[in-house]
Amino acid sequence: MTTCVEVCVDSSESLRQALLGGANRIELCASLHLGGLTPSDGFMQQAVRISTVPVYAMIRPRQGDFLYSDDDIEVMLSDIHGAKQRGLAGIVVGSLTPEGFVNEAILRQLVRAADGMGVTFHRAIDQSRNPMEALEIIASIGCERVLTSGCAESALEGATVIKDMVNTFGSHLNIMAGGGVTAENVRGIIAASGVSEVHLSGKTTRPSGMTYTTADASMGAVDVNDYSIAVTCAKKVKAVVSACNK
């Protein structure tokens, strides 16, 4: 069985590296260090032009939880419209109630706005109160896929829960394992969970090309090195693809 390898990227450089490594699908984001936010319109346009595989846009207007206000929803609906206009294959969404259940009303709005695009429900499910009940709702509303770590810190740790998801809902939803996926553990994750799709960033860092640097003015948090650039590594992606298809 062929395994689909999805790679999440947040820059043009990472996009090209993911494609070079053999990614089967791209999740387009901004700010992966925050768990992934909605990519810019310019990045969406460029990704459609560059990518040779389907591109899904993360639709997440801010960092933090998945409890969204009316203003947040307005932004999300506008971003979905933009992704559709740019010709992306799909979107990645999720929304919860204060009590930790899937917010059915909001999810229906988002899926309706996608209007024929593919829809993945992201790892908000790993913060839900009852993941199996959540899957039933997600499937009934029309999502095609769920990304999950099995409610654990990593997909390997959550493989037993992911297997239960696959066994119960695999005929209605694609269950995609994500969270700490590497070439070294991906075969174990697949064997233990039964998934046919995996998700990773394949991140590494490279030094800045700046010949002049300064420590006097940081562009963000003081513990973030502005001269160390996080980027997807084509070799890491290729190694996962190779391991999956042995």
Side-chain angles (χ1 to χ4, degrees), residues 76-94:
M76 294 169 80
L77 292 171
S78 180
D79 286 335
I80 292 171
H81 177 74
K84 187 173 180 63
Q85 291 296 108
R86 296 308 177 195
L88 272 68
I91 58 170
V92 183
V93 298

Side-chain angles (χ1 to χ4, degrees), residues 37-103:
L37 304 178
T38 306
S40 71
D41 181 66
F43 193 18
M44 287 193 277
Q45 290 186 63
Q46 185 184 64
V48 170
R49 178 172 57 83
I50 291 174
S51 185
T52 53
V53 299
V55 178
Y56 280 51
M58 170 67 78
I59 305 296
R60 186 180 175 212
R62 57 163 176 76
Q63 70 178 97
D65 62 30
F66 304 105
L67 178 62
Y68 293 123
S69 68
D70 290 343
D71 284 343
D72 290 331
I73 297 163
E74 181 180 345
V75 171
M76 294 169 80
L77 292 171
S78 180
D79 286 335
I80 292 171
H81 177 74
K84 187 173 180 63
Q85 291 296 108
R86 296 308 177 195
L88 272 68
I91 58 170
V92 183
V93 298
S95 182
L96 300 176
T97 68
E99 299 78 23
F101 299 104
V102 172
N103 191 313

